[in-house]
Amino acid sequence: MSTERDILTLAQWLSPAFPVGAFAYSHGLETAIQSGAIASAGDLQDWLADVLTHGSGRNDCILLRAAYACDSNAALEDINQTALAVSASGERILETQLQGSAFSQTTAVIWGTDKAALCYPVAIGCAAAYMQLDVDLTVALCLHAFASNLVSAAVRAVPLGQTEGQAVLAALIPLCDQIARETRDAALDDLSSSAFLSDIAALQHETLQPRTFRS
């Protein structure tokens, strides 16, 4: 059962104030905005729902759960290499590596967790296991934080009003909860992505000019 400590610790880890540099990444969203594919709150909600359900969002849940349950360094390295393998572009690899490394370094100093450089969802899963945080809560809040960061990017880049952005995020809460529940029994063999437009946008972002975000 989740405790107040679990909730508050995860709120700190997944806060925009936590120094992982999440604000600098759009996960390819910037390409879709510049192309006109995302021009409204409705467009954004549909795009994010696809990414969460069929792309990186769901995969991150599976990777986090695998890392949480991991019982050896060798198995953890396999999980981390798998996380890199399912990243659709060079920028997404850097995104997950740099955020994961920053997360691990900070939690190691404050909570005494392992400071090994790991992909972001893998690092969160390891830290949550070390702190004995509820894994289901961790997965759901991590997915919500992922969506929240992309909403924030869209508010700046579309641009959308703050209220519109928050309405999109609120509408995605049931989906985040659903995906978190659906991945409880998922294994690495269940990793996949059919969010093709998002993956292509991430690849195209590598040569996008001008651009504001790192991915």
Side-chain angles (χ1 to χ4, degrees), residues 186-199:
L188 294 182
D189 287 345
D190 297 304
L191 291 166
S192 65
S193 179
S194 56
F196 300 122
L197 291 179
S198 175
D199 291 344

Side-chain angles (χ1 to χ4, degrees), residues 3 19 47 83 115 119 124 148 173 176 182 193 195 197 200 212:
T3 67
W47 183 277
K115 64 179 181 180
C119 294
I124 294 174
S148 179
I173 287 175
C176 290
E182 289 176 349
S193 179
L197 291 179
I200 291 169
T212 301

Side-chain angles (χ1 to χ4, degrees), residues 29 44-45 66 85 100 171 203 205 212:
L29 195 67
L44 175 65
Q45 185 173 325
L203 290 165
H205 191 270
T212 301

Side-chain angles (χ1 to χ4, degrees), residues 34-56:
Q34 284 204 24
S35 72
I38 297 176
S40 68
D43 295 338
L44 175 65
Q45 185 173 325
D46 290 344
W47 183 277
L48 295 185
D50 283 345
V51 173
L52 292 172
T53 305
H54 305 294
S56 303

Side-chain angles (χ1 to χ4, degrees), residues 45 49 52-53 139-140 143-144 147 166-182:
Q45 185 173 325
L52 292 172
T53 305
V139 167
L143 198 59
H144 183 266
Q166 289 304 307
V168 169
L169 186 58
L172 292 171
I173 287 175
L175 183 59
C176 290
D177 180 60
Q178 175 187 330
I179 295 168
R181 287 185 283 105
E182 289 176 349

